[in-house]
Amino acid sequence: MSAHCQVTGRKPGFGKSVSHSHKRTNRRWNPNIQRKTYYLPSEDRRITLTVSAKGIKTIDRDGIEAVVARIRARGDKI
């Protein structure tokens, strides 16, 4: 599962870890990604989305129908 939110588009952030000796090494900050299943009443089926914690809050606020419409308008397949 890639660390990419289907709702908000959040992706990993990249940067450097800095040790006590100030040696820098590459690292990444992954978003809090979850696989969630939602029921879509208009199509009478369940859909599984890969969403971040903020994406879950967005679905709770706006509703699954509105979020799915936004994802499809963007051109992503569900």
Side-chain angles (χ1 to χ4, degrees), residues 5 9 28 32 63-64 73 78:
C5 177
R28 65 190 262 168
N32 184 7
I64 188 66
I78 293 182

Side-chain angles (χ1 to χ4, degrees), residues 5 7-8 10 32 51-61:
C5 177
V7 176
T8 61
R10 288 182 176 232
N32 184 7
V51 293
S52 63
K54 182 160 184 170
I56 294 170
K57 292 177 188 176
T58 303
I59 292 171
D60 289 343
R61 185 188 68 214

Side-chain angles (χ1 to χ4, degrees), residues 14-67:
F14 295 91
K16 301 282 188 185
S17 255
V18 182
S19 69
H20 178 71
S21 65
H22 219 62
K23 182 176 179 176
R24 292 180 167 98
T25 55
N26 294 332
R27 64 158 294 181
R28 65 190 262 168
W29 286 267
N30 286 324
N32 184 7
I33 297 292
Q34 313 289 325
R35 284 186 67 103
K36 293 278 290 180
T37 302
Y38 292 97
Y39 177 69
L40 208 55
S42 63
E43 299 178 14
D44 194 35
R45 70 183 184 110
R46 295 177 189 271
I47 57 169
T48 302
L49 295 176
T50 306
V51 293
S52 63
K54 182 160 184 170
I56 294 170
K57 292 177 188 176
T58 303
I59 292 171
D60 289 343
R61 185 188 68 214
D62 298 340
I64 188 66
E65 296 286 345
V67 171

